[in-house]
Amino acid sequence: MQGSSRRTGTMTDVHRRFLQLLMTHGVLEEWEVKRLQKHCYKVHDCNAPVEKLEDFIHNINSVLESLYIEIKKGVTEDDGRPIYALVNLATTAISKMASDFAENELDLFRKALELIIDSETGFASSTNILNVVDQLKGKKMRKKEAEQVLQKFVQNKWLIEKEGEFTLHTRAILEMEQHIRETYPDAVKICNICHGLLIQGQSCETCGIRMHLPCVAKYFQSNSEPRCPNCNDYWPHEIPEVFDPEKERGAGLSKPSRKSLRPRQH
Amino acid sequence: MPRGQKSKLRAREKRRQAREESWDPLDAQATVSEEEEESSSSPSLDVKDDPQSSPASGTPSGPQVLGEVHSTTASAEAASSTRFTEGASDQLEETLNALHANDIAEYWYRGPLDEKVVMLVHYLLYKYQKKEPITKVDMLRNVIQVYKHNFHEIFKRASEHLELVFGLDMKEMDPNRNTYVLINKLELSCDSREHRGVPKTGVLMTILGVIFMKGNCATEEDVWKVLNMMGLHDGRNHFIFGDPKKLITEDLVKDDYLVYRQVPDRDPPCYEFLWGPRAYSETTKMKVLEFVAKVNHTSPSAFSPYYEEALRDEKERAQARSTARAQIAAVASARSKAMANSLSLPK
């Protein structure tokens, strides 16, 4: 293709393999992505120097652009871990899932999504979601079945479950942000710092502005008297720590069981 | 029967109206992409004249695109935060303004095909991940739809993208039923550089090799011996392949690449592997032998008597192909004779 080949680096088997594997996983944390990249070099071109991840991904994205696919980088809303997902840009959001789920399942997701967006905490309780089960389009679904469908969403990384409540997986946010902002323009919350879609976060009790937890962490880093950037009132919530990948690795190979701060501080 | 110009224009108008009522990001974005593609490809031609000029010529337009300009600007702005650099979005604005003045209808015909190519690529990737074969009927119904006369071009372009970008090869699995399957080109062709003397890729090819060279049937123990050398162990999760036992006894079996069965009258029970039907259709004994030879830095002819067996297999396949072709030709000529007869019958 004329346009893209002018701007891009060449696509080699290293990149292709990387794409294939990323596609299989759907979403990966940054450390996994780096390991994946090294693996692809080892397998296909072990003599070449491993390109810086940012440039590597940028090169692939310039080729993917005309296919309406992108490797998007995001950050988990609860503890600021960088993650990467292969995202389909062209389809209207729900339809990306459409191939995997039946009509009533998709509608359940839509209902759950609406409850999550409307909630104060970014979490919708299992009870509230199950209560709308009789309003679903398509084949009639029983509550028991709906519980299983919700688990399917969790397994496929569209939702996250915490203590019986559901919120959006970072992958879903990356994939659906634009659709969500367009479909629910009045209900969506936006982070005051990064201006991205906000599902979980902290809010100022005086003026109501909201911020993502990792955005709070960065903004108030080493600030002993955190104040709201909008109204200057004292910021009443606990300031989380900035995510440090080095600390993670030092803690051992297993994923740290750090208790992520519950963003119930609205 | 191909539609005339008038009915195409009418259909275009209808679609434009429908689009304005229910704005679909896919349509709007795809139009943006056409403009972007055109505007980014022309500079390579005009670069001597003025690298900064936004190419007003050669951009797709026509009554339909004019109707969409309003919505594409909105989507262009939304997209600009994620996709476009500043320079590109300025260029796009200029291009969009130029569209009002231009009326080169012929370029429009490429537009919706580009859209369909992208949709087909997404659809095929989805099928690949699901490990489901792809039929022409499915593609026509779910993706191609009204552009069924352009199926071949859309399919070809989509296949090219998949090969170049993802390293996936489109192979015809069953020519009689128009069924296709996407094969990971990388798995079979990659140079297995040895690391500590052991290749890490081509798990399936390796297993097929073991089975072939154990007389077309290998015990589970034989297979594990080889997989262990590759770093795959029963009970140990591999960060790429996951659970190797599940991979070889369930996943590859479900996909018809392997057959896994219990050896009769054995206590304690033990199992053996054979080639599955899909392995027979997607590769050959010779190809597998070539893979094994490559890994061992030698050539297939070093593996007597398997080399002879692979040669025989190649011959049989070639014969089967020419017989099939002869049969198809015979049927075709019989049919055309019958048609000729029926046409010449007096009314």
Side-chain angles (χ1 to χ4, degrees):
Chain A
M1 285 177 322
Q2 275 179 301
S4 49
S5 58
R6 194 168 47 88
R7 287 172 277 155
T8 68
T10 15
M11 195 78 177
T12 68
D13 279 355
V14 179
H15 303 95
R16 292 184 188 109
R17 188 146 192 103
F18 179 84
L19 252 189
Q20 282 181 12
L21 291 168
L22 183 59
M23 183 169 61
T24 315
H25 284 102
V27 58
L28 285 175
E29 291 192 29
E30 189 165 55
W31 67 276
E32 292 170 307
V33 170
K34 286 189 169 150
R35 193 172 62 167
L36 196 70
Q37 184 199 20
K38 287 202 185 83
H39 165 85
C40 295
Y41 269 96
K42 226 163 66 154
V43 165
H44 286 283
D45 200 355
C46 59
N47 296 320
V50 174
E51 196 180 4
K52 201 172 92 152
L53 185 66
E54 205 181 306
D55 297 331
F56 185 79
I57 289 188
H58 179 78
N59 275 337
I60 299 178
N61 274 337
S62 54
V63 175
L64 291 178
E65 197 174 344
S66 50
L67 291 176
Y68 286 91
I69 300 174
E70 185 181 337
I71 301 175
K72 265 209 187 151
K73 180 175 176 182
V75 150
T76 58
E77 276 190 324
D78 55 359
D79 52 4
R81 298 162 165 274
I83 64 140
Y84 292 81
L86 193 63
V87 155
N88 201 337
L89 299 172
T91 54
T92 52
I94 307 282
S95 63
K96 151 88 186 210
M97 305 165 71
S99 345
D100 288 328
F101 299 101
E103 187 187 0
N104 56 1
E105 293 173 332
L106 288 175
D107 210 33
L108 180 69
F109 183 82
R110 222 174 266 125
K111 291 275 188 290
L113 176 64
E114 283 166 12
L115 286 167
I116 289 169
I117 291 170
D118 286 334
S119 76
E120 256 308 293
T121 59
F123 281 83
S125 72
S126 167
T127 324
N128 287 345
I129 299 175
L130 294 176
N131 277 339
V132 301
V133 156
D134 26 345
Q135 300 165 27
L136 296 178
K137 294 185 207 162
K139 211 171 85 153
K140 187 150 164 63
M141 191 192 289
R142 289 191 312 269
K143 285 200 178 162
K144 215 33 187 190
E145 205 184 323
E147 276 174 1
Q148 286 170 358
V149 174
L150 286 175
Q151 286 313 310
K152 222 171 44 161
F153 291 143
V154 171
Q155 273 159 34
N156 285 302
K157 300 186 186 159
W158 296 108
L159 295 178
I160 295 174
E161 184 188 356
K162 272 202 186 115
E163 295 163 19
E165 297 195 317
F166 294 89
T167 188
L168 285 186
H169 195 288
T170 321
R171 182 230 193 143
I173 297 177
L174 276 180
E175 187 114 24
M176 297 183 190
E177 170 163 359
Q178 195 176 337
H179 166 82
I180 292 174
R181 292 173 80 143
E182 287 157 7
T183 317
Y184 308 100
D186 304 317
V188 290
K189 306 173 184 77
I190 304 293
C191 173
N192 191 265
I193 302 293
C194 71
H195 305 293
L197 174 68
L198 183 143
I199 303 286
Q200 298 176 50
Q202 295 178 350
S203 68
C204 174
E205 275 159 15
T206 317
C207 66
I209 61 134
R210 296 169 192 269
M211 302 205 278
H212 291 121
L213 290 165
C215 294
V216 168
K218 257 194 226 133
Y219 188 75
F220 289 131
Q221 200 174 13
S222 50
N223 182 339
S224 50
E225 266 206 36
R227 291 184 165 274
C228 172
N230 189 42
C231 67
N232 213 36
D233 227 16
Y234 175 64
W235 192 260
H237 310 291
E238 186 176 346
I239 310 296
E241 276 184 31
V242 175
F243 175 74
D244 184 359
E246 298 302 311
K247 253 206 222 153
E248 294 274 301
R249 255 185 277 141
L253 291 171
S254 60
K255 262 172 87 177
S257 55
R258 209 160 54 115
K259 215 173 61 151
S260 39
L261 292 171
R262 288 307 305 278
R264 319 289 240 121
Q265 300 143 348
H266 286 263
Chain B
M1 183 89 138
R3 290 149 88 193
Q5 193 78 346
K6 270 205 200 143
S7 80
K8 271 190 185 151
L9 283 169
R10 250 182 270 132
R12 226 189 280 167
E13 264 307 289
K14 264 205 207 147
R15 277 197 290 273
R16 180 183 71 79
Q17 280 170 359
R19 245 173 255 192
E20 285 191 314
E21 271 145 30
S22 60
W23 178 61
D24 183 348
L26 168 61
D27 296 354
Q29 283 207 26
T31 321
V32 169
S33 105
E34 295 151 35
E35 286 141 15
E36 211 218 342
E37 271 196 73
E38 297 297 314
S39 61
S40 59
S41 54
S42 323
S44 62
L45 301 171
D46 297 330
V47 82
K48 279 184 229 128
D49 302 329
D50 182 359
Q52 264 155 19
S53 70
S54 93
S57 62
T59 47
S61 89
Q64 183 189 18
V65 178
L66 287 180
E68 285 172 2
V69 163
H70 157 75
S71 43
T72 51
T73 344
S75 84
E77 271 163 334
S80 65
S81 56
T82 49
R83 288 176 56 227
F84 296 100
T85 60
E86 292 222 333
S89 76
D90 290 337
Q91 207 180 39
L92 185 59
E93 286 268 14
E94 285 185 76
T95 310
L96 289 172
N97 291 334
L99 283 177
H100 285 287
N102 245 318
D103 206 15
I104 305 168
E106 64 201 80
Y107 282 91
W108 182 84
Y109 289 117
R110 296 282 288 169
L113 285 195
D114 290 335
E115 222 179 276
K116 290 296 182 185
V117 169
V118 170
M119 283 173 69
L120 185 58
V121 166
H122 292 161
Y123 179 74
L124 294 172
L125 284 174
Y126 166 72
K127 285 296 218 184
Y128 174 73
Q129 288 180 75
K130 285 278 154 175
K131 306 211 181 99
E132 289 171 6
I134 304 144
T135 64
K136 184 173 177 183
V137 168
D138 279 341
M139 286 191 273
L140 285 170
R141 192 179 43 214
N142 294 327
V143 182
I144 314 283
Q145 294 161 350
V146 297
Y147 295 99
K148 57 183 189 234
H149 296 297
N150 303 91
F151 172 78
H152 181 74
E153 181 188 344
I154 299 172
F155 183 66
K156 183 162 146 290
R157 285 171 61 189
S159 309
E160 278 165 8
H161 282 308
L162 288 172
E163 186 176 343
L164 287 170
V165 180
F166 290 88
L168 298 175
D169 248 346
M170 183 72 73
K171 285 271 152 79
E172 199 166 15
M173 208 161 84
D174 184 350
N176 298 326
R177 276 181 242 148
N178 291 126
T179 323
Y180 303 86
V181 71
L182 277 169
I183 302 189
N184 186 349
K185 187 164 108 157
L186 301 178
E187 200 102 291
L188 301 180
S189 73
C190 78
D191 229 13
S192 38
R193 320 243 171 176
E194 295 188 323
H195 303 286
R196 310 198 305 116
V198 175
K200 285 193 186 220
T201 54
V203 177
L204 176 61
M205 283 300 261
T206 307
I207 298 175
L208 293 177
V210 173
I211 297 172
F212 174 38
M213 289 167 67
K214 288 279 181 180
N216 298 310
C217 181
T219 65
E220 187 169 0
E221 199 187 325
D222 291 328
V223 171
W224 278 116
K225 265 203 205 111
V226 176
L227 291 180
N228 289 342
M229 294 198 296
M230 290 170 66
L232 294 168
H233 299 269
D234 190 3
R236 230 190 275 173
N237 248 8
H238 187 268
F239 86 99
I240 298 287
F241 299 114
D243 178 357
K245 172 105 181 180
K246 178 169 179 286
L247 174 69
I248 66 176
T249 62
E250 288 176 26
D251 300 342
L252 291 174
V253 172
K254 189 163 75 96
D255 292 340
D256 295 324
Y257 286 116
L258 296 176
V259 167
Y260 178 66
R261 66 180 187 202
Q262 191 168 357
V263 182
D265 307 319
R266 286 283 213 96
D267 190 34
C270 78
Y271 294 83
E272 57 190 12
F273 284 94
L274 298 98
W275 282 36
R278 196 164 170 185
Y280 280 107
S281 83
E282 285 181 15
T283 188
T284 66
K285 290 180 179 172
M286 186 56 87
K287 286 210 189 109
V288 170
L289 201 60
E290 281 164 2
F291 176 83
V292 174
K294 208 163 167 212
V295 164
N296 289 289
H297 296 304
T298 180
S299 69
S301 49
F303 293 97
S304 224
Y306 306 110
Y307 183 60
E308 281 75 26
E309 190 181 334
L311 280 175
R312 275 197 302 273
D313 181 59
E314 288 293 293
K315 224 170 161 199
E316 281 165 13
R317 283 171 183 260
Q319 254 168 8
R321 275 197 297 273
S322 56
T323 316
R325 257 181 245 133
Q327 281 173 344
I328 292 171
V331 168
S333 85
R335 225 183 266 153
S336 58
K337 274 205 200 113
M339 265 188 55
N341 283 337
S342 71
L343 286 171
S344 63
L345 279 175
K347 297 255 159 96

